[in-house]
Amino acid sequence: MKLDGKRVLVTGASSGIGLELARVLAARGAVLAISSRSAERLEQVSEELASAVPGIRKPLPVACDIADEASVRHLIGACVESLGTVDVLINNAGICVYGSVEKTQIADFRALLDVNFLGPVQAMLEILPFMKRQGHGLIVNISSVAAIHGVPYLGAYSASKAALVALSQSMRAELAGSDVRVMLVYPDYTESAIFENETKVGGARRPEGPYAPASDVAEAIVRAIEAEKRDLILGTRGKALAFFDGTAPRLVENAMRKIAVELREEE
Ligand SMILES: NC(=O)c1ccc[n+]([C@@H]2O[C@H](COP(=O)([O-])OP(=O)(O)OC[C@H]3O[C@@H](n4cnc5c(N)ncnc54)[C@H](OP(=O)(O)O)[C@@H]3O)[C@@H](O)[C@H]2O)c1
C-alpha cells in the first residue's frame, strides 16, 4: 500500500508510538487526522508536522476521549467530514495498569477495557460503514506482546489487549470477501510516557529494559502497513514468546513464573 495521499487517523497521537507514527506517516505524504484528549497538545503536534514536512496538508487535530461513546462518534464524523473519508484507522490510544491482579480494583479493569478495548471497538463500528461503502479500508489495532501470553503484573492490561486481538480475528473472518482489512500489531516494551502515566496498584516492581525507541517501532509499523502484513510482532523477545507459546507452552509458563517471583514485592 502506498501511503502518499491516503487519509489516516491515528488515535493517541500526542505522545509515544502514536506521535512517532504521525511523524513517519506525514513524511510518507499521508493526509492525517490526529487524536488524543489534549486539544492543546494536538494543535502543537499538528503545527510541528506541518512545518516539518513542507507541502503536506496540516494534520486535522480532533480532541477525543476514546472511552466516551459520543466523543468517538464526533471524532469519526469530524474526520469523514473534513478528509472526505478514512482509508486507514490506527487504534493506538492506550493506557496501562501495573501490579498484581489481586491488588487491581474492578475500576482499574473497567478503565483499561474502556480505553484499550471498547474505544477501538467503537471507532471500528463508526468507520466500518464508510470503509465498506468505499470498498476498501485498513484498521490497524495496536495490541501488545502482553496479549500473546498473560504477563505477570500486567494481568488486566494483558486481558484488555487480548480482547482486542480476539475481536480483530473475528472481524477478519466476517470481512472476508471485502477489501476492508484488519492488521494486528504487538509491540514489546517501548520508550514512552505510558509508564509514567500508568496506575500502579502495587505488589511488584517494574522490570528493567530494554525498551525500544518509539521511532523504531513506528517505522516498523508503517513498513508493515506498506507491505500489507496481517500481523506484526515486534522485538526478538516478542517473536520468541509467540513461537514458544505455540510450540512449548510449559516453557513459557515456567519463564513467566520465574519473572513473577523475581519482580514480586512483599509489603
Ligand atoms: N510503550 C510500550 O511498552 C507498549 C508496549 C506494547 C503496546 N503498547 C501500546 O501502544 C499504544 C501507544 O502507547 P505508548 O506507549 O505510545 O503510550 P503513551 O506515550 O502514553 O501514549 C498514549 C496515547 O494515548 C492517548 N490516550 C490515553 N488515554 C486516552 C483516552 N482516554 N482517550 C484518547 N486518547 C487517550 C494519550 O494522549 P492523552 O493523554 O492526551 O489523551 C497518548 O497520546 C498503546 O495502545 C499501548 O498499550 C505500548
Side-chain angles (χ1 to χ4, degrees), residues 157-173:
Y157 177 80
S158 289
S160 71
K161 292 294 187 177
L164 187 60
V165 170
L167 184 93
S168 303
Q169 290 166 340
S170 298
M171 283 176 63
R172 271 181 187 161

Side-chain angles (χ1 to χ4, degrees), residues 228-251:
E228 302 193 1
K229 289 205 171 157
R230 291 167 61 255
D231 293 295
L232 174 67
I233 300 174
L234 284 144
T236 317
R237 266 186 319 198
K239 289 185 180 75
L241 177 63
F243 177 76
F244 287 114
D245 198 50
T247 55
R250 281 279 173 86
L251 201 77

Side-chain angles (χ1 to χ4, degrees), residues 92 111 139 171 200 257:
N92 167 75
I139 295 165
M171 283 176 63
K200 290 184 173 53
R257 210 170 292 141

Side-chain angles (χ1 to χ4, degrees), residues 21-45:
L21 275 171
R23 286 181 174 144
V24 178
L25 288 162
R28 298 287 213 272
V31 177
L32 285 176
I34 52 174
S35 177
S36 82
R37 286 168 300 182
S38 162
E40 203 180 316
R41 178 76 190 118
L42 285 175
E43 189 52 46
Q44 285 169 1
V45 172

Side-chain angles (χ1 to χ4, degrees), residues 68-87:
D68 180 87
E69 225 177 296
S71 190
V72 177
R73 203 167 302 125
H74 169 260
L75 167 67
I76 301 299
C79 291
V80 171
E81 194 184 315
S82 174
L83 309 182
T85 186
V86 173
D87 299 301

Side-chain angles (χ1 to χ4, degrees), residues 12-18 36-38 64-67 92-95 115 142-144 157 161 187-190 192-195 197:
S14 62
S15 92
I17 297 170
S36 82
R37 286 168 300 182
S38 162
C64 165
D65 181 350
I66 206 79
N92 167 75
I95 55 168
V115 176
I142 309 294
S143 179
S144 165
Y157 177 80
K161 292 294 187 177
D188 197 350
Y189 277 127
T190 306
S192 84
I194 203 165
F195 307 103
N197 297 334

